[in-house]
């Protein structure tokens, strides 16, 4: 999984890190969390960028919020509440949607990080959550694709 913000590309990794790369030269720049700590403790699976924040989802069941306005990117918040690996992220309007390994989707307000709704969407691991227009698509290990409006 990867994300892009300004001139930086972010990549998620199984070694629990988020690496930053130059969008111009494609050379590595830094590893989020190594400066000042705050890393995930397990595989980082998904990333989503919004304004000056990067959201990262991990098998450690947490979503980290990273402040991209700083020279050395540091986490500013950990969003907890999933009972399984957080497998996919989507930003839609003023909401952050997070999916997990038990087929649950949580909807968080993008500014307060409060969970405003929980949906039992699938029976198994949700691989992806994507938006096309007003529709949201989820695909799962349960061999289904669902469309949400």
């Amino acid at each position: 999984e990867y994300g892009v913000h300004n001139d930086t590309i972010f990549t998620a990794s199984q070694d629990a890190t988020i690496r930053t790369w130059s969008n111009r030269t494609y050379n590595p720049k830094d590893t989020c969390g190594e400066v000042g700590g705050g890393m995930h403790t397990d595989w980082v699976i998904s990333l989503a960028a919004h304004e000056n924040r990067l959201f990262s989802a991990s098998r450690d069941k947490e979503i980290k919020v990273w402040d991209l306005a700083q020279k050395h990117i540091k986490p500013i918040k950990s969003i907890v509440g999933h009972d399984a690996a957080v497998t996919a992220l989507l930003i839609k309007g003023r909401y952050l949607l997070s999916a997990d390994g038990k087929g649950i989707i949580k909807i968080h307000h993008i500014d307060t990080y409060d969970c405003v709704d929980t949906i039992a969407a699938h029976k198994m691991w949700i691989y992806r959550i994507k938006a096309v227009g007003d529709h949201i698509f989820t695909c799962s290990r349960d061999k289904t694709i669902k469309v949400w409006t």
Side-chain angles (χ1 to χ4, degrees):
E1 183 82 12
Y2 72 95
V4 178
H5 180 264
N6 294 337
D7 68 339
T8 303
I9 299 169
F10 298 90
T11 57
S13 179
Q14 289 184 356
D15 68 1
T17 63
I18 301 164
R19 301 210 183 274
T20 63
W21 307 82
S22 168
N23 199 14
R24 292 186 206 118
T25 65
Y26 304 110
N27 291 327
K29 292 168 67 174
D30 197 2
T31 302
C32 298
E34 286 188 348
V35 179
M39 289 176 52
H40 283 286
T41 58
D42 204 339
W43 174 16
V44 179
I45 301 172
S46 185
L47 301 170
H50 179 73
E51 296 174 350
N52 283 327
R53 291 171 288 175
L54 178 71
F55 297 87
S56 59
S58 172
R59 279 181 44 173
D60 65 11
K61 305 177 187 174
E62 291 189 11
I63 301 165
K64 299 253 187 220
V65 184
W66 302 82
D67 183 358
L68 299 180
Q70 302 298 317
K71 180 177 180 178
H72 295 289
I73 300 166
K74 295 182 181 176
I76 56 174
K77 176 83 174 162
S78 289
I79 303 171
V80 296
H82 280 281
D83 293 329
V86 184
T87 59
L89 297 173
L90 170 69
I91 296 169
K92 179 79 172 149
R94 301 305 303 163
Y95 297 97
L96 170 70
L97 287 75
S98 57
D100 75 22
K102 290 187 177 178
I104 301 296
I105 295 173
K106 291 191 175 282
I107 303 171
H108 311 268
H109 192 279
I110 197 82
D111 295 320
T112 65
Y113 312 119
D114 293 333
C115 180
V116 297
D117 203 359
T118 300
I119 302 166
H122 288 271
K123 295 177 184 170
M124 300 175 85
W125 184 289
I126 297 173
Y127 289 118
R128 294 284 182 264
I129 181 168
K130 297 292 180 186
V132 177
D134 291 334
H135 295 88
I136 295 173
F137 294 82
T138 55
C139 64
S140 169
R141 188 172 187 189
D142 64 14
K143 300 179 182 177
T144 64
I145 297 172
K146 294 189 177 180
V147 183
W148 309 83
T149 54

